[in-house]
């Protein structure tokens, strides 16, 4: 087997604290057997800190910056602002804990790093490769959950929004880039079934003038479960390994309790430590066709 090895990281808002722990365990063990990295929303942000080699940066952001009242603010939302103010978050991080973009560019010079966004006009996913000029804009666009964040970031000719809407777990894109051994860090436990939620009904009202985006939101649950089935039943010659939080994982999309976040980060770190050995075996056995 001569294909490449990919790391795919799911989003999920504050649930990203799990992948933050897993990725820090990889950094702690100097473990990086991957050729391709694809991140969605919070997963893309976590991957960026990981590729920059900034150990525990994600933990600090989740348990400090994202818990400040300027980030999640219902009052701000009622006054016409963002409920999830990623503009404020990006601005404060540039000052207090800047992302080492140069290290990311150096790290991925001979590899592949893609950020998943959703094209507002077509409703389709776009897999964009960040560079020193657009890194922050792409990460913001991928994380811009509609309604929680009122704007659609623009990159070039595209108006973009949350990548998880159109491709929450980009397995096929990893395969299209040449990967036949794929490790997926999930933000939901095994057996989770996504159902059509209230956001689908709300989108019909708020995005009636953007029919493709509305349709993407309405079909999100079906697309998500289709991705799960692809993971569980990979095509011939493709091998997929999942790293998932346990049932005891407590964090939700907008959790703001420090103890819960610290608890679930530690769970991610512990599972990541075990996964280092398991991934080595997975890669070796897949290469041997076992």
């Amino acid at each position: 087997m001569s294909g490449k090895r990919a790391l795919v990281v799911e989003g999920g808002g504050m649930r990203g604290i799990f992948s933050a722990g897993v990725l820090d365990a990889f950094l702690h063990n100097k473990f990086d057997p991957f050729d391709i990295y694809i991140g969605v929303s919070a997963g893309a942000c976590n991957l960026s800190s990981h590729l920059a080699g900034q150990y525990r940066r994600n933990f600090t952001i989740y348990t400090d910056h994202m818990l400040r009242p300027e980030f999640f603010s219902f009052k701000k939302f009622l006054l016409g602002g963002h409920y999830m103010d990623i503009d404020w978050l990006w601005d404060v991080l540039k000052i207090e804990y800047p992302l080492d973009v140069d290290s990311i560019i150096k790290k991925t010079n001979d590899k592949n790093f893609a950020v998943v966004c959703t094209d507002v006009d077509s409703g389709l996913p776009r897999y964009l490769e960040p560079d020193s000029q657009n890194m922050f804009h792409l990460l913001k666009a991928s994380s811009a959950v509609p309604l929680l964040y009122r704007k659609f970031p623009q990159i070039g000719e595209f108006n973009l929004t949350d990548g998880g809407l159109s491709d929450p777990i980009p397995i096929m894109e990893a395969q299209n880039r040449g990967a036949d051994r794929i490790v997926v860090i999930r933000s939901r436990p095994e057996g989770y079934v996504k159902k059509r939620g209230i956001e689908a009904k709300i989108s019909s009202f708020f995005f009636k003038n953007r029919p493709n985006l509305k349709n993407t939101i309405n079909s999100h649950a079906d697309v998500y479960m289709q991705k799960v089935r692809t993971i569980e039943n990979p095509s011939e010659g493709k091998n997929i390994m999942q790293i998932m939080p346990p049932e005891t994982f407590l964090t939700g999309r907008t959790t703001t309790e420090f103890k819960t976040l610290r608890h679930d980060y530690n769970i991610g770190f512990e599972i990541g430590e075990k996964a280092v050995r398991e991934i080595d075996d997975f890669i070796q056995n897949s290469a041997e066709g076992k």
Side-chain angles (χ1 to χ4, degrees):
M1 190 171 292
S2 59
K4 296 180 180 180
R5 297 168 288 195
L7 177 63
V8 172
V9 186
E10 183 182 0
M14 300 300 280
R15 286 193 295 271
I17 193 69
F18 175 74
S19 62
V22 174
L23 291 170
D24 272 350
F26 289 1
L27 273 180
H28 180 71
N29 286 276
K30 296 181 173 59
F31 180 73
D32 182 24
F34 306 105
D35 309 297
I36 300 167
Y37 312 87
I38 306 179
V40 185
S41 191
C45 295
N46 288 350
L47 258 181
S48 66
S49 294
H50 173 71
L51 292 171
Q54 291 176 277
Y55 181 69
R56 288 180 69 90
R57 179 177 185 266
N58 290 321
F59 175 79
T60 300
I61 293 171
Y62 280 102
T63 60
D64 178 3
H65 302 88
M66 293 174 75
L67 299 190
R68 298 181 193 179
E70 294 90 344
F71 183 59
F72 283 122
S73 174
F74 189 62
K75 179 180 179 180
K76 189 184 295 185
F77 183 74
L78 291 177
L79 294 174
H82 309 294
Y83 176 71
M84 186 178 71
D85 195 343
I86 55 178
D87 290 338
W88 170 86
L89 181 63
W90 259 242
D91 288 342
V92 76
L93 287 176
K94 287 178 183 178
I95 298 170
E96 296 185 7
Y97 209 153
L99 180 66
D100 187 351
V101 176
D102 290 341
S103 290
I104 299 174
I105 300 302
K106 182 178 179 181
K107 173 81 171 179
T108 58
N109 183 50
D110 58 347
K111 297 189 178 186
N112 195 256
F113 176 32
V115 174
V116 184
C117 299
T118 298
D119 188 318
V120 171
D121 299 312
S122 69
L124 299 174
R126 292 200 175 275
Y127 310 96
L128 304 173
E129 298 180 11
D131 56 34
S132 59
Q133 301 301 314
N134 67 14
M135 181 81 65
F136 296 107
H137 300 298
L138 282 184
L139 294 175
K140 179 184 287 188
S142 185
S143 305
V145 180
L147 301 182
L148 299 186
Y149 179 76
R150 293 182 182 271
K151 297 188 293 186
F152 295 123
Q154 187 172 5
I155 308 291
E157 62 185 290
F158 305 119
N159 294 304
L160 302 171
T161 190
D162 177 17
L165 296 176
S166 55
D167 195 352
I169 315 174
I171 300 299
M172 294 307 298
E173 181 61 18
Q175 293 181 7
N176 291 340
R177 290 172 181 253
D180 56 18
R181 285 157 288 177
I182 304 169
V183 174
V184 184
I185 305 179
R186 300 281 304 280
S187 58
R188 296 286 196 176
E190 186 175 9
Y192 169 75
V193 176
K194 190 168 188 64
K195 299 179 180 179
R196 193 169 183 265
I198 191 172
E199 66 275 4
K201 296 179 181 179
I202 293 175
S203 71
S204 296
F205 175 77
F206 281 97
F207 303 123
K208 56 187 176 183
N209 294 325
R210 297 184 182 274
N212 291 326
L213 178 61
K214 182 185 74 173
N215 291 339
T216 295
I217 296 173
N218 286 340
S219 62
H220 173 62
D222 292 336
V223 170
Y224 187 95
M225 294 310 301
Q226 185 180 49
K227 299 292 180 178
V228 172
R229 289 191 291 272
T230 299
I231 293 173
E232 294 174 345
N233 301 282
S235 56
E236 185 176 355
K238 308 299 181 183
N239 298 273
I240 303 174
M241 172 183 170
Q242 298 186 82
I243 302 173
M244 294 175 288
E247 292 291 341
T248 54
F249 188 74
L250 301 173
T251 302
R253 176 177 287 276
T254 58
T255 294
T256 56
E257 185 178 273
F258 174 81
K259 289 183 179 179
T260 298
L261 292 164
R262 181 179 61 186
H263 173 270
D264 287 347
Y265 169 86
N266 289 335
I267 286 178
F269 192 92
E270 292 170 5
I271 289 177
E273 291 263 87
K274 297 177 183 176
V276 167
R277 298 184 294 274
E278 294 169 355
I279 293 170
D280 270 337
D281 291 341
F282 163 74
I283 290 174
Q284 182 64 32
N285 292 337
S286 298
E288 294 173 356
K290 295 180 180 180

